[in-house]
Amino acid sequence: MNPLLTFWNRRCALWALAAALCAAPAWAQTRLRAWNVHPEGYPVTQAMKSFAEDVKRGTQGRYQIEVFSNASLGDQPKAVQMIKSGELDIAEFSVGPLADAVPGVRVLSLPFLFHDSAHMFRYLDGALGERYAASLKAAGFVVLGWYDGGARSFYCATRKPTSLRELAGANIRVRSEIFTEMVQLLDAKPVPLAFKDVLEAFEKGSIDCAENNIPSYESTGHYKVAKHVYVTNHVISPEVLLVSTALWSKLSEPDRAAFQDAGRRSALLMRDLWNQRVAQAQEVTAKHGAQFIRVKDASAFVRRMSPLYAKYMKDPATREELLTIISNK
């Protein structure tokens, strides 16, 4: 064989190999799954998709994240266990389902604890958030960002509350132990009820009021039967973007930095999108006759909650977190 031809054949083979290596083949990519309970187009889903794009860019395409919305991979309790086991890589949760692993997060669901979301994020973006992150990491969850879970208020079909005393005796739909205790302390009657059954309960007259954030009030159509919104903002709570410790342990330091940066950016985006969504929901419901009565002074409500605060102050698992917030209000 011609030596010159052999030389050029070898050179071409080497060039082809180099081109193939530079092409970042599919086997060099790691595909990850991200879970959330919210629908497409919701601020959480939008922010998680932005997170996925930032991670892809920050890791030069080595990590590809697919976002699964509408709890399509399982309900929230199942997803919590999947994250802990490493079966799921990334998820966005409300704080309630994490309380079994880290009891201190229960404090974040207490009523009248924060003035508004900005007040809450001053804690969660600081030392208190770092303490929660350390506890959650020990339980199998690595925090990448704190999302806005919204401010909850009462809305009623058969009543037009303008003061605390006008909630007395009302049948109010509740979802948890803390909410049940809160409603009882307002001299109202808690009605445990699945969220999907609230609209029918209003229509049948089996509840007078429910409580939730304004986007949920609008998206469920509850505003069509419950026109009177008593804007108490009684619970302002976060949600949290997490990755599993199983995934975290596999990431290099530069990749961890890329995930953390993407998490911070997505949290800020979500908060902005959430504020836009709240304004939109208020506008839509007002156009359809919803009337908003805002609480000007929540001190009477806070006093009613004293037994609830005392209960959590006595519990060693929640005392330090509650003291941190109350002592710096």
Side-chain angles (χ1 to χ4, degrees), residues 39-298:
E40 288 294 324
Y42 197 77
V44 167
T45 303
Q46 291 178 268
M48 289 185 72
K49 288 184 176 181
S50 177
F51 167 77
E53 287 299 318
D54 282 348
V55 166
K56 179 180 177 181
R57 186 165 44 250
T59 62
Q60 294 77 51
R62 284 177 289 102
Y63 286 93
Q64 305 266 349
I65 300 171
E66 184 175 2
V67 177
F68 293 85
S69 302
N70 286 306
S72 58
L73 299 179
D75 61 17
Q76 194 157 236
K78 180 181 178 181
V80 170
Q81 294 306 314
M82 289 170 72
I83 277 279
K84 289 190 70 174
S85 68
E87 184 182 352
L88 189 62
D89 306 296
I90 302 155
E92 195 271 355
F93 297 128
S94 59
V95 295
L98 301 173
D100 287 341
V102 182
V105 302
R106 292 195 185 101
V107 165
L108 298 174
S109 297
L110 286 175
F112 303 102
L113 196 61
F114 299 111
H115 306 310
D116 51 30
S117 292
H119 181 208
M120 175 180 69
F121 287 126
R122 284 202 296 273
Y123 290 96
L124 293 179
D125 291 337
L128 181 62
E130 291 175 1
R131 188 154 73 240
Y132 277 133
S135 298
L136 286 164
K137 187 175 182 180
F141 314 97
V142 178
V143 175
L144 293 184
W146 295 99
Y147 283 17
D148 197 338
R152 303 174 73 96
S153 292
F154 295 103
Y155 49 88
C156 304
T158 59
R159 298 186 177 221
K160 301 178 182 179
T162 59
S163 67
L164 184 156
R165 63 179 176 275
E166 290 171 350
L167 288 172
N171 292 316
I172 301 177
R173 181 263 173 179
V174 296
R175 63 166 188 166
S176 68
E177 179 184 348
I178 288 178
F179 284 72
T180 297
E181 294 179 79
M182 175 188 72
V183 167
Q184 290 172 333
L185 290 170
L186 296 176
D187 293 332
K189 300 174 183 177
V191 180
L193 193 66
F195 188 55
K196 64 182 178 63
D197 298 326
V198 171
L199 184 60
E200 183 181 0
F202 270 127
E203 292 170 340
K204 289 182 176 180
S206 54
I207 60 172
D208 301 303
C209 308
E211 56 81 47
N212 214 311
N213 58 59
I214 299 303
S216 293
Y217 169 65
E218 182 264 333
S219 64
T220 54
H222 292 176
Y223 68 92
K224 296 176 183 178
V225 293
K227 300 286 187 182
H228 310 291
V229 184
Y230 192 29
V231 186
T232 52
N233 292 335
H234 49 265
V235 171
I236 297 168
S237 61
E239 297 187 1
V240 58
L241 179 68
L242 303 161
V243 301
S244 69
T245 50
L247 170 61
W248 193 249
S249 66
K250 298 174 185 176
L251 297 178
S252 66
E253 285 303 321
D255 287 343
R256 288 182 179 183
F259 271 71
Q260 288 174 322
D261 182 62
R264 284 190 292 267
R265 290 162 62 90
S266 75
L268 294 175
L269 173 62
M270 187 276 162
R271 298 174 197 180
D272 184 53
L273 291 172
W274 180 255
N275 290 335
Q276 295 176 38
R277 183 72 181 84
V278 170
Q280 177 190 7
Q282 288 176 332
E283 182 179 354
V284 168
T285 55
K287 284 182 178 178
H288 286 82
Q291 301 176 21
F292 295 84
I293 303 296
R294 299 185 179 277
V295 172
K296 296 180 180 178
D297 181 4

Side-chain angles (χ1 to χ4, degrees), residues 102-114 119 123-124 127-129 131-132 178 181 234 236 302 305-329:
V102 182
V105 302
R106 292 195 185 101
V107 165
L108 298 174
S109 297
L110 286 175
F112 303 102
L113 196 61
F114 299 111
H119 181 208
Y123 290 96
L124 293 179
L128 181 62
R131 188 154 73 240
Y132 277 133
I178 288 178
E181 294 179 79
H234 49 265
I236 297 168
V302 174
M305 297 301 113
S306 294
L308 189 53
Y309 300 148
K311 173 183 174 180
Y312 282 81
M313 196 69 78
K314 292 176 183 176
D315 187 344
T318 53
R319 181 188 302 124
E320 186 176 356
E321 287 81 359
L322 185 55
L323 275 173
T324 298
I325 296 169
I326 292 177
S327 62
N328 290 284
K329 291 185 74 170

